[in-house]
Amino acid sequence: EHDRAAFAAKLGLAGAREFEAFALELRLVGAAGDERWVLAHCSFFTEPAAGDEGNEAGEHACLILQAQDIGARRRAEAGLQHM
């Protein structure tokens, strides 16, 4: 629940573009209870708008979200802590 709340709080700032980019490590839990760790990167970019849409510069602000599986790294870190 903590990961979900932190991610939702960060994404909640997107409407006002209160950030340029952020990265969070998140623990995802599937319906069967299986865990997966991901590193989520979120950032804005702009692209030309079609017609008269977009901002004053004729651009659309877009949000891109990338998730990278970091499970192997997390398991290796946990193994090192037990040595």
Coordinates of all heavy atoms in Angstrom, one line a residue:
E1 N 0.8 -1.2 0.0 CA 0.0 0.0 0.0 C 0.8 1.3 0.0 O 0.5 2.2 -0.6 CB -1.0 0.0 1.2 CG -2.1 -1.0 1.1 CD -3.0 -0.8 -0.1 OE1 -3.4 0.4 -0.4 OE2 -3.3 -1.8 -0.8
H2 N 2.0 1.2 0.7 CA 2.9 2.4 0.7 C 3.4 2.8 -0.7 O 3.4 3.9 -1.0 CB 4.0 2.2 1.7 CG 5.1 3.3 1.6 ND1 4.8 4.5 2.2 CD2 6.3 3.3 1.1 CE1 5.9 5.3 2.0 NE2 6.8 4.6 1.3
D3 N 3.8 1.8 -1.4 CA 4.3 2.0 -2.8 C 3.2 2.6 -3.6 O 3.4 3.5 -4.4 CB 4.8 0.7 -3.4 CG 6.1 0.2 -2.8 OD1 6.7 1.0 -2.0 OD2 6.5 -0.9 -3.0
R4 N 2.0 2.1 -3.5 CA 0.9 2.6 -4.3 C 0.6 4.0 -4.0 O 0.4 4.9 -4.8 CB -0.4 1.7 -4.1 CG -1.6 2.2 -4.9 CD -2.8 1.4 -4.6 NE -2.6 0.0 -4.8 CZ -3.6 -0.9 -4.8 NH1 -4.8 -0.5 -4.5 NH2 -3.3 -2.1 -5.0
A5 N 0.6 4.4 -2.7 CA 0.3 5.7 -2.3 C 1.4 6.7 -2.7 O 1.1 7.8 -3.2 CB 0.2 5.8 -0.7
A6 N 2.7 6.3 -2.7 CA 3.8 7.1 -3.1 C 3.7 7.4 -4.6 O 3.9 8.5 -5.1 CB 5.1 6.5 -2.8
F7 N 3.4 6.3 -5.4 CA 3.3 6.4 -6.8 C 2.1 7.3 -7.2 O 2.2 8.2 -8.1 CB 3.1 5.0 -7.5 CG 3.2 5.0 -8.9 CD1 4.4 5.5 -9.6 CD2 2.2 4.6 -9.7 CE1 4.5 5.5 -11.0 CE2 2.3 4.6 -11.1 CZ 3.4 5.0 -11.7
A8 N 1.0 7.1 -6.6 CA -0.2 7.9 -6.8 C 0.0 9.4 -6.5 O -0.4 10.3 -7.2 CB -1.4 7.4 -6.0
A9 N 0.7 9.7 -5.4 CA 1.0 11.0 -5.0 C 1.9 11.7 -6.1 O 1.6 12.9 -6.5 CB 1.7 11.1 -3.7
K10 N 2.9 11.0 -6.6 CA 3.8 11.6 -7.6 C 3.0 11.8 -8.9 O 3.1 12.9 -9.5 CB 4.9 10.7 -7.9 CG 6.0 10.7 -6.9 CD 6.8 12.0 -7.0 CE 8.1 11.9 -6.2 NZ 8.8 13.1 -6.3
L11 N 2.2 10.8 -9.3 CA 1.4 11.0 -10.6 C 0.3 12.1 -10.4 O 0.0 12.8 -11.4 CB 0.8 9.7 -11.0 CG 1.7 8.7 -11.7 CD1 0.9 7.5 -12.1 CD2 2.4 9.3 -12.9
G12 N -0.1 12.3 -9.2 CA -1.1 13.4 -9.0 C -0.6 14.8 -9.3 O -1.3 15.7 -9.5
L13 N 0.7 14.9 -9.3 CA 1.4 16.2 -9.6 C 1.5 16.4 -11.1 O 1.8 17.5 -11.5 CB 2.8 16.2 -8.9 CG 2.8 16.1 -7.4 CD1 4.3 16.0 -7.0 CD2 2.1 17.2 -6.7
A14 N 1.2 15.4 -11.9 CA 1.4 15.5 -13.3 C 0.5 16.6 -14.0 O 0.9 17.3 -14.9 CB 1.2 14.2 -14.0
G15 N -0.8 16.7 -13.5 CA -1.7 17.6 -14.1 C -1.2 19.0 -14.1 O -1.4 19.8 -15.1
A16 N -0.5 19.4 -13.1 CA 0.0 20.8 -13.0 C 1.5 20.9 -13.4 O 2.1 21.9 -13.3 CB -0.2 21.3 -11.6
R17 N 2.0 19.7 -13.9 CA 3.4 19.7 -14.3 C 4.3 20.1 -13.2 O 5.2 21.0 -13.4 CB 3.7 20.4 -15.6 CG 3.2 19.6 -16.8 CD 3.8 20.1 -18.0 NE 5.2 19.8 -18.2 CZ 5.9 19.8 -19.3 NH1 5.2 20.2 -20.4 NH2 7.1 19.5 -19.4
E18 N 4.1 19.6 -12.0 CA 4.8 20.0 -10.8 C 6.2 19.2 -10.7 O 6.8 19.3 -9.7 CB 4.0 19.9 -9.5 CG 2.8 20.8 -9.5 CD 2.0 20.7 -8.2 OE1 2.6 20.5 -7.2 OE2 0.8 20.9 -8.3
F19 N 6.5 18.5 -11.7 CA 7.8 17.8 -11.7 C 8.2 17.7 -13.2 O 7.4 17.7 -14.1 CB 7.7 16.4 -11.1 CG 6.8 15.5 -11.8 CD1 7.3 14.7 -12.8 CD2 5.5 15.3 -11.4 CE1 6.5 13.8 -13.5 CE2 4.7 14.4 -12.1 CZ 5.1 13.7 -13.1
E20 N 9.5 17.5 -13.4 CA 10.1 17.3 -14.7 C 10.2 15.8 -14.9 O 9.9 15.2 -16.0 CB 11.4 18.0 -14.9 CG 11.3 19.4 -15.2 CD 10.5 19.8 -16.4 OE1 10.7 19.2 -17.5 OE2 9.6 20.6 -16.3
A21 N 10.7 15.1 -13.9 CA 10.9 13.6 -14.0 C 11.0 13.1 -12.5 O 11.4 13.8 -11.6 CB 12.2 13.3 -14.8
F22 N 10.7 11.8 -12.4 CA 11.0 11.2 -11.1 C 11.2 9.7 -11.4 O 10.8 9.1 -12.4 CB 9.8 11.4 -10.1 CG 8.5 10.7 -10.4 CD1 8.3 9.3 -10.1 CD2 7.5 11.4 -11.0 CE1 7.1 8.7 -10.3 CE2 6.3 10.7 -11.3 CZ 6.1 9.4 -11.0
A23 N 11.8 9.0 -10.4 CA 12.0 7.6 -10.4 C 11.7 7.0 -9.1 O 12.0 7.6 -8.0 CB 13.4 7.2 -10.8
L24 N 11.0 5.9 -9.0 CA 10.6 5.3 -7.8 C 10.8 3.8 -7.9 O 10.5 3.2 -9.0 CB 9.1 5.5 -7.4 CG 8.6 6.8 -7.0 CD1 7.1 6.8 -6.9 CD2 9.3 7.2 -5.6
E25 N 11.3 3.1 -6.9 CA 11.3 1.7 -6.8 C 10.0 1.2 -6.2 O 9.6 1.7 -5.1 CB 12.5 1.2 -6.0 CG 13.8 1.4 -6.7 CD 15.0 0.7 -6.0 OE1 14.8 -0.1 -5.0 OE2 16.1 0.9 -6.4
L26 N 9.3 0.3 -6.9 CA 8.0 -0.1 -6.5 C 7.9 -1.6 -6.3 O 8.5 -2.3 -7.2 CB 6.9 0.3 -7.5 CG 6.8 1.8 -7.8 CD1 5.9 2.1 -9.0 CD2 6.3 2.6 -6.6
R27 N 7.3 -2.1 -5.3 CA 7.0 -3.5 -5.2 C 5.6 -3.8 -5.7 O 4.6 -3.3 -5.1 CB 7.2 -3.9 -3.7 CG 7.0 -5.4 -3.5 CD 7.2 -5.8 -2.0 NE 6.2 -5.1 -1.2 CZ 5.1 -5.6 -0.7 NH1 4.7 -6.8 -1.1 NH2 4.3 -4.9 0.1
L28 N 5.5 -4.6 -6.7 CA 4.2 -4.9 -7.3 C 3.8 -6.3 -6.8 O 4.6 -7.2 -6.8 CB 4.2 -4.9 -8.8 CG 4.7 -3.6 -9.4 CD1 4.8 -3.7 -10.9 CD2 3.9 -2.4 -9.0
V29 N 2.6 -6.5 -6.4 CA 2.1 -7.8 -5.9 C 0.9 -8.2 -6.8 O -0.1 -7.5 -7.0 CB 1.6 -7.7 -4.5 CG1 1.1 -9.1 -4.0 CG2 2.7 -7.2 -3.6
G30 N 1.1 -9.4 -7.5 CA 0.1 -9.9 -8.4 C -1.1 -10.5 -7.6 O -1.0 -10.7 -6.3
A31 N -2.1 -10.9 -8.3 CA -3.3 -11.5 -7.7 C -3.0 -12.8 -6.9 O -3.6 -13.1 -5.9 CB -4.4 -11.8 -8.7
A32 N -2.0 -13.5 -7.4 CA -1.6 -14.8 -6.8 C -0.6 -14.5 -5.6 O -0.1 -15.5 -5.0 CB -1.0 -15.7 -7.8
G33 N -0.3 -13.3 -5.3 CA 0.6 -13.0 -4.2 C 2.1 -12.9 -4.6 O 3.0 -12.7 -3.8
D34 N 2.4 -13.1 -5.9 CA 3.8 -13.0 -6.4 C 4.2 -11.6 -6.4 O 3.5 -10.7 -6.7 CB 3.9 -13.7 -7.8 CG 3.0 -13.1 -8.8 OD1 1.8 -13.0 -8.4 OD2 3.4 -12.8 -9.9
E35 N 5.5 -11.4 -6.0 CA 6.1 -10.0 -6.0 C 7.0 -9.8 -7.1 O 7.7 -10.7 -7.6 CB 6.9 -9.8 -4.7 CG 6.1 -9.8 -3.4 CD 6.9 -9.4 -2.2 OE1 8.2 -9.4 -2.3 OE2 6.3 -9.3 -1.2
R36 N 7.0 -8.6 -7.6 CA 7.9 -8.1 -8.6 C 8.3 -6.7 -8.3 O 7.5 -5.9 -8.0 CB 7.3 -8.1 -10.0 CG 8.2 -7.8 -11.1 CD 7.6 -8.1 -12.5 NE 7.1 -9.4 -12.6 CZ 7.8 -10.4 -13.2 NH1 8.9 -10.2 -13.7 NH2 7.2 -11.6 -13.2
W37 N 9.7 -6.5 -8.3 CA 10.2 -5.1 -8.1 C 10.5 -4.5 -9.4 O 11.1 -5.1 -10.3 CB 11.5 -5.2 -7.3 CG 11.2 -5.4 -5.8 CD1 11.2 -6.6 -5.2 CD2 11.0 -4.4 -4.8 NE1 10.9 -6.4 -3.8 CE2 10.8 -5.1 -3.6 CE3 10.9 -3.1 -4.8 CZ2 10.5 -4.4 -2.4 CZ3 10.7 -2.4 -3.7 CH2 10.5 -3.1 -2.5
V38 N 10.0 -3.2 -9.5 CA 10.3 -2.4 -10.7 C 10.8 -1.1 -10.3 O 10.5 -0.5 -9.3 CB 9.1 -2.3 -11.6 CG1 8.5 -3.6 -12.1 CG2 8.0 -1.5 -10.9
L39 N 11.6 -0.5 -11.2 CA 12.1 0.9 -11.1 C 11.2 1.6 -12.2 O 11.3 1.4 -13.4 CB 13.5 1.0 -11.4 CG 14.1 2.4 -11.4 CD1 13.9 3.1 -10.0 CD2 15.6 2.4 -11.8
A40 N 10.4 2.5 -11.7 CA 9.5 3.3 -12.6 C 10.1 4.7 -12.8 O 10.4 5.4 -11.8 CB 8.1 3.4 -11.9
H41 N 10.3 5.0 -14.1 CA 10.7 6.4 -14.5 C 9.6 7.1 -15.1 O 8.9 6.5 -16.0 CB 11.9 6.3 -15.5 CG 13.1 5.7 -15.0 ND1 14.1 6.4 -14.4 CD2 13.6 4.4 -14.9 CE1 15.1 5.6 -14.0 NE2 14.8 4.4 -14.3
C42 N 9.3 8.3 -14.7 CA 8.3 9.1 -15.3 C 8.8 10.4 -15.7 O 9.5 11.1 -14.9 CB 7.1 9.2 -14.3 SG 5.7 10.0 -14.9
S43 N 8.5 10.9 -16.9 CA 9.0 12.2 -17.3 C 8.1 12.8 -18.4 O 7.3 12.1 -19.0 CB 10.4 12.2 -17.9 OG 10.5 11.3 -19.0
F44 N 8.2 14.1 -18.6 CA 7.4 14.8 -19.6 C 8.2 14.9 -20.9 O 9.5 15.0 -20.8 CB 7.0 16.2 -19.1 CG 5.9 16.2 -18.2 CD1 6.1 16.3 -16.8 CD2 4.6 16.1 -18.6 CE1 5.1 16.3 -15.9 CE2 3.5 16.1 -17.7 CZ 3.8 16.2 -16.3
F45 N 7.6 15.0 -22.0 CA 8.2 15.4 -23.2 C 7.1 16.1 -24.0 O 5.9 16.1 -23.7 CB 8.8 14.3 -24.0 CG 7.8 13.3 -24.6 CD1 7.4 13.4 -25.9 CD2 7.3 12.2 -23.8 CE1 6.5 12.5 -26.5 CE2 6.4 11.4 -24.4 CZ 6.0 11.5 -25.7
T46 N 7.5 16.9 -25.0 CA 6.5 17.6 -25.9 C 6.7 17.1 -27.3 O 7.7 16.7 -27.7 CB 6.8 19.1 -25.8 OG1 8.1 19.4 -26.2 CG2 6.5 19.7 -24.4
E47 N 5.6 17.2 -28.0 CA 5.6 16.9 -29.4 C 4.7 17.9 -30.1 O 3.8 18.6 -29.5 CB 5.0 15.5 -29.7 CG 3.6 15.2 -29.3 CD 3.2 13.8 -29.6 OE1 4.0 12.9 -29.8 OE2 2.0 13.6 -29.6
P48 N 4.9 18.2 -31.4 CA 4.1 19.1 -32.1 C 2.6 18.8 -32.1 O 2.3 17.6 -32.2 CB 4.7 19.1 -33.6 CG 6.0 18.5 -33.4 CD 5.9 17.6 -32.2
A49 N 1.8 19.8 -31.9 CA 0.3 19.5 -31.9 C -0.2 19.6 -33.3 O 0.3 20.3 -34.2 CB -0.3 20.6 -31.0
A50 N -1.3 18.9 -33.6 CA -1.9 19.0 -34.9 C -3.0 20.1 -34.9 O -3.7 20.2 -33.9 CB -2.6 17.6 -35.2
G51 N -3.1 20.9 -35.9 CA -4.1 21.9 -36.0 C -3.9 23.0 -35.0 O -2.8 23.4 -34.7
D52 N -5.0 23.4 -34.3 CA -4.9 24.5 -33.4 C -4.9 24.0 -31.9 O -5.2 24.7 -31.0 CB -6.0 25.5 -33.6 CG -7.4 24.8 -33.5 OD1 -7.5 23.6 -33.4 OD2 -8.4 25.6 -33.5
E53 N -4.7 22.7 -31.7 CA -4.6 22.1 -30.4 C -3.3 22.4 -29.8 O -2.3 22.8 -30.4 CB -4.8 20.6 -30.4 CG -6.2 20.2 -31.0 CD -6.3 18.7 -31.2 OE1 -5.4 18.0 -30.7 OE2 -7.3 18.3 -31.8
G54 N -3.1 22.1 -28.5 CA -1.9 22.3 -27.8 C -1.7 23.6 -27.1 O -2.7 24.3 -26.9
N55 N -0.5 23.9 -26.6 CA -0.3 25.1 -25.9 C 0.0 26.3 -26.8 O -0.1 26.2 -28.0 CB 0.8 24.9 -24.9 CG 2.2 24.5 -25.5 OD1 2.4 24.7 -26.7 ND2 3.1 24.0 -24.7
E56 N 0.5 27.4 -26.2 CA 0.8 28.6 -27.1 C 1.9 28.3 -28.1 O 1.9 28.9 -29.2 CB 1.3 29.7 -26.2 CG 0.3 30.2 -25.1 CD 0.4 29.4 -23.8 OE1 1.6 29.1 -23.4 OE2 -0.6 29.2 -23.2
A57 N 2.8 27.4 -27.8 CA 3.9 27.1 -28.7 C 3.5 26.0 -29.7 O 4.3 25.6 -30.5 CB 5.1 26.6 -27.9
G58 N 2.2 25.6 -29.7 CA 1.8 24.6 -30.6 C 2.3 23.2 -30.3 O 2.5 22.4 -31.2
E59 N 2.4 22.9 -29.0 CA 3.0 21.6 -28.6 C 2.0 20.9 -27.6 O 1.2 21.6 -26.9 CB 4.3 21.8 -27.8 CG 5.4 22.4 -28.7 CD 6.6 22.7 -27.9 OE1 6.5 23.0 -26.7 OE2 7.7 22.6 -28.4
H60 N 2.0 19.6 -27.6 CA 1.3 18.8 -26.6 C 2.3 18.4 -25.6 O 3.4 17.9 -25.9 CB 0.7 17.5 -27.2 CG -0.6 17.8 -27.9 ND1 -1.7 18.1 -27.3 CD2 -0.9 17.7 -29.2 CE1 -2.7 18.2 -28.1 NE2 -2.2 18.0 -29.3
A61 N 2.0 18.5 -24.3 CA 2.8 17.9 -23.3 C 2.4 16.4 -23.1 O 1.2 16.1 -23.0 CB 2.6 18.6 -22.0
C62 N 3.3 15.5 -23.1 CA 3.1 14.1 -23.0 C 3.8 13.6 -21.8 O 4.9 14.1 -21.4 CB 3.5 13.4 -24.2 SG 2.7 13.9 -25.7
L63 N 3.3 12.6 -21.2 CA 3.9 11.9 -20.0 C 4.3 10.5 -20.5 O 3.5 9.8 -21.0 CB 2.9 11.9 -18.9 CG 3.3 11.4 -17.5 CD1 4.3 12.3 -16.9 CD2 2.1 11.2 -16.6
I64 N 5.5 10.1 -20.2 CA 6.0 8.8 -20.5 C 6.4 8.1 -19.2 O 7.0 8.7 -18.4 CB 7.1 8.8 -21.5 CG1 7.5 7.4 -22.0 CG2 8.4 9.5 -21.0 CD1 8.4 7.3 -23.2
L65 N 6.0 6.8 -19.1 CA 6.2 6.0 -17.9 C 6.9 4.8 -18.4 O 6.4 4.1 -19.3 CB 5.0 5.7 -17.2 CG 5.1 4.8 -16.0 CD1 5.9 5.5 -14.9 CD2 3.7 4.4 -15.4
Q66 N 8.1 4.5 -17.8 CA 8.8 3.3 -18.2 C 9.0 2.5 -16.9 O 9.4 3.1 -15.8 CB 10.2 3.6 -18.7 CG 10.1 4.4 -20.0 CD 11.5 4.9 -20.5 OE1 12.3 5.4 -19.7 NE2 11.8 4.7 -21.7
A67 N 8.9 1.2 -17.0 CA 9.1 0.3 -15.8 C 10.2 -0.7 -16.2 O 10.1 -1.3 -17.2 CB 7.8 -0.4 -15.4
Q68 N 11.2 -0.8 -15.3 CA 12.3 -1.8 -15.5 C 12.3 -2.8 -14.4 O 12.2 -2.4 -13.2 CB 13.6 -1.0 -15.5 CG 14.8 -1.8 -15.6 CD 16.1 -1.0 -15.5 OE1 16.1 0.2 -15.3 NE2 17.2 -1.7 -15.7
D69 N 12.3 -4.0 -14.7 CA 12.3 -5.1 -13.7 C 13.7 -5.1 -13.0 O 14.7 -5.2 -13.6 CB 12.1 -6.5 -14.4 CG 12.0 -7.6 -13.4 OD1 12.4 -7.5 -12.3 OD2 11.5 -8.7 -13.8
I70 N 13.7 -4.9 -11.7 CA 14.9 -4.8 -10.9 C 14.9 -5.9 -9.8 O 15.6 -5.9 -8.9 CB 15.1 -3.4 -10.2 CG1 13.9 -3.1 -9.3 CG2 15.3 -2.4 -11.3 CD1 14.1 -1.9 -8.4
G71 N 14.1 -7.0 -10.1 CA 14.0 -8.1 -9.1 C 15.4 -8.8 -8.9 O 15.7 -9.1 -7.7
A72 N 16.2 -9.0 -9.9 CA 17.5 -9.7 -9.8 C 18.4 -8.8 -8.9 O 19.1 -9.3 -8.0 CB 18.1 -9.9 -11.1
R73 N 18.4 -7.5 -9.1 CA 19.2 -6.6 -8.3 C 18.8 -6.6 -6.9 O 19.6 -6.7 -6.0 CB 19.1 -5.2 -8.9 CG 20.2 -4.3 -8.2 CD 19.9 -2.8 -8.4 NE 19.0 -2.4 -7.4 CZ 18.2 -1.4 -7.5 NH1 18.2 -0.6 -8.5 NH2 17.4 -1.1 -6.5
R74 N 17.5 -6.6 -6.6 CA 17.0 -6.6 -5.3 C 17.3 -7.9 -4.5 O 17.7 -7.9 -3.4 CB 15.4 -6.4 -5.2 CG 15.0 -5.0 -5.8 CD 15.3 -3.9 -4.8 NE 14.6 -4.1 -3.5 CZ 14.1 -3.2 -2.8 NH1 14.3 -1.9 -3.1 NH2 13.5 -3.4 -1.6
R75 N 17.2 -9.0 -5.2 CA 17.6 -10.3 -4.6 C 19.1 -10.3 -4.3 O 19.5 -10.9 -3.3 CB 17.2 -11.5 -5.5 CG 15.7 -11.7 -5.6 CD 15.3 -13.0 -6.4 NE 15.7 -12.9 -7.8 CZ 14.9 -12.3 -8.7 NH1 13.8 -11.7 -8.4 NH2 15.3 -12.3 -10.0
A76 N 19.9 -9.8 -5.2 CA 21.4 -9.8 -5.0 C 21.7 -8.9 -3.8 O 22.5 -9.3 -2.9 CB 22.1 -9.3 -6.2
E77 N 21.0 -7.7 -3.7 CA 21.2 -6.9 -2.5 C 20.8 -7.5 -1.2 O 21.5 -7.4 -0.2 CB 20.4 -5.6 -2.7 CG 21.0 -4.7 -3.7 CD 20.1 -3.5 -4.0 OE1 18.9 -3.4 -3.5 OE2 20.5 -2.6 -4.7
A78 N 19.7 -8.3 -1.2 CA 19.2 -9.0 0.0 C 20.2 -10.1 0.3 O 20.5 -10.3 1.5 CB 17.8 -9.6 -0.3
G79 N 20.8 -10.8 -0.6 CA 21.8 -11.8 -0.4 C 23.0 -11.2 0.3 O 23.6 -11.8 1.1
L80 N 23.4 -10.1 -0.2 CA 24.6 -9.4 0.4 C 24.4 -9.0 1.8 O 25.3 -9.0 2.7 CB 25.0 -8.2 -0.5 CG 25.7 -8.5 -1.8 CD1 25.9 -7.2 -2.6 CD2 27.0 -9.3 -1.7
Q81 N 23.2 -8.6 2.2 CA 22.9 -8.2 3.5 C 23.0 -9.3 4.5 O 23.2 -9.1 5.7 CB 21.6 -7.5 3.6 CG 21.6 -6.1 2.9 CD 20.2 -5.5 3.0 OE1 19.2 -6.1 3.5 NE2 20.1 -4.3 2.4
H82 N 22.8 -10.6 4.0 CA 22.8 -11.7 4.9 C 24.1 -12.4 5.0 O 24.3 -13.4 5.7 CB 21.8 -12.8 4.4 CG 20.3 -12.4 4.5 ND1 19.9 -11.2 5.1 CD2 19.2 -12.9 4.0 CE1 18.6 -11.1 5.0 NE2 18.1 -12.1 4.4
M83 N 25.1 -11.8 4.4 CA 26.5 -12.3 4.5 C 27.2 -11.9 5.8 O 27.0 -10.9 6.4 CB 27.3 -11.9 3.3 CG 26.8 -12.5 2.0 SD 27.9 -12.1 0.7 CE 28.4 -13.7 0.2

